[in-house]
Amino acid sequence: AAGVAQADVSFSGTAGVALIDDNGARDAATAADAAVANTAYGADMFFESYYDFDITASAESDNGISVSVGFDMGAGNKIDYNDDDVLEAQGVDVGDADVSVSYAGWTLAVDQAGIDNLFDDTDGAQDVSLSGTVGGVSVAVTTDMEGSTNSYKAAGSLAGVALTVTGTNNDDNGGSASKIAASYAMGNGLTLKGSVEDESKADGSEDDSTLGFSYAMDALTVGYTTIKPGKDGSLGDEWDFSVAYAAGATSASFAIDEADETTIIVDHALGGGASAFAAMHDKAGTDNDLTAVGLNFAF
């Protein structure tokens, strides 16, 4: 119809299935619910499936202002096998909408309790974000007006050194925290990196500092990070070592730390948006080991 804005609408999503052995951790977490619902859960091994369907509509006005709205729907649980091993519920209220307005390189996004804290993405209760670029430096801020919390991030480069600064007034302890991270690509595949973190815990036990490197050799990348845990620790008290391989349709990684916590992950693209994965996380000193194999499909 004449005079009606024509929006571009896109559809995308993912779906998958996995066979998971979490050494009984899921059963322990759901035991109370199972007793109430009189539901039987497997001792260790179980199947999970999920789907996540995303819809985005966008349009641009004659004066250069673009507006987009996105929402998603889903069901089931997706295993986060290459991050923190949690089962991520995909059920979402379709009424939760993510709206953004962009103009001259700046974007204002509004999503009630759906925007991650820029210092720690485990806090997803932020409502508004503003992001853009100033003098070659990318900047972003978020806020949750009801909770009076906020976070910020700035990233840029100086003399070949990439710098990132993040902070918040609502860390895990409810106080202010900040972090400065730097990396420098020396060429020939070698990159040096380091970070300093200052959190609000009174004893300084979370004020970690790190130094590390990564070295890429064709299909292999080796990484090592030495960590000073807290203000009373020393570099080397904690460390992370990893080896990653990527060639063609296959990628694999191996990681280990000072506690002998070991992770092995293999991903293989099957074509047509489908991929297979296998993951093993041996968590030293705990009963929360995880093994998972499955298929994901992106459309």
Side-chain angles (χ1 to χ4, degrees), residues 271-295:
S275 62
F277 69 86
M280 187 279 290
H281 301 269
D282 182 5
K283 303 178 182 181
T286 77
D287 294 326
N288 297 323
D289 295 349
L290 177 92
T291 303
V293 294
L295 294 171

Side-chain angles (χ1 to χ4, degrees), residues 88-144:
E88 298 177 338
Q90 300 301 300
V92 176
D93 184 350
V94 178
D96 292 337
D98 180 0
V99 178
S100 63
V101 180
S102 300
Y103 180 72
W106 290 87
T107 299
L108 176 70
V110 180
D111 185 4
Q112 179 69 26
I115 297 175
D116 287 339
N117 183 303
L118 296 171
F119 178 81
D120 184 353
D121 61 9
T122 59
D123 176 13
Q126 304 287 281
D127 303 330
V128 181
S129 72
L130 178 66
S131 59
T133 302
V134 178
V137 177
S138 64
V139 296
V141 293
T142 70
T143 186
D144 170 23

Side-chain angles (χ1 to χ4, degrees), residues 101-258:
V101 180
S102 300
Y103 180 72
W106 290 87
T107 299
L108 176 70
V110 180
D111 185 4
Q112 179 69 26
I115 297 175
D116 287 339
N117 183 303
L118 296 171
F119 178 81
D120 184 353
D121 61 9
T122 59
D123 176 13
Q126 304 287 281
D127 303 330
V128 181
S129 72
L130 178 66
S131 59
T133 302
V134 178
V137 177
S138 64
V139 296
V141 293
T142 70
T143 186
D144 170 23
M145 300 186 71
E146 298 93 335
S148 298
T149 63
N150 54 66
S151 67
Y152 62 85
K153 180 178 182 179
S157 60
L158 179 65
V161 179
L163 297 170
T164 303
V165 179
T166 56
T168 183
N169 69 344
N170 184 39
D171 64 5
D172 290 339
N173 306 302
S176 297
S178 62
K179 180 177 181 179
I180 300 175
S183 66
Y184 178 67
M186 298 186 65
N188 300 320
L190 179 62
T191 299
L192 304 179
K193 61 182 181 178
S195 67
V196 178
E197 188 170 319
D198 180 13
E199 294 206 39
S200 65
K201 197 167 184 179
D203 62 4
S205 59
E206 297 179 354
D207 297 342
D208 295 348
S209 300
T210 70
L211 287 174
F213 74 89
S214 64
Y215 183 55
M217 302 169 289
D218 296 324
L220 286 177
T221 300
V222 177
Y224 178 79
T225 301
T226 180
I227 305 167
K228 174 186 176 183
K231 68 181 182 63
D232 296 326
S234 301
L235 283 172
D237 287 350
E238 296 179 4
W239 52 266
D240 297 315
F241 173 79
S242 64
V243 179
Y245 168 86
T250 302
S251 62
S253 63
F254 167 83
I256 191 170
D257 64 12
E258 78 287 343

Side-chain angles (χ1 to χ4, degrees), residues 17-20 79 81 265-268 275-279 292-296:
V17 61
L19 176 62
I20 304 166
I79 182 64
Y81 67 91
I265 298 174
V266 179
D267 287 283
H268 183 74
S275 62
F277 69 86
V293 294
L295 294 171
N296 287 319

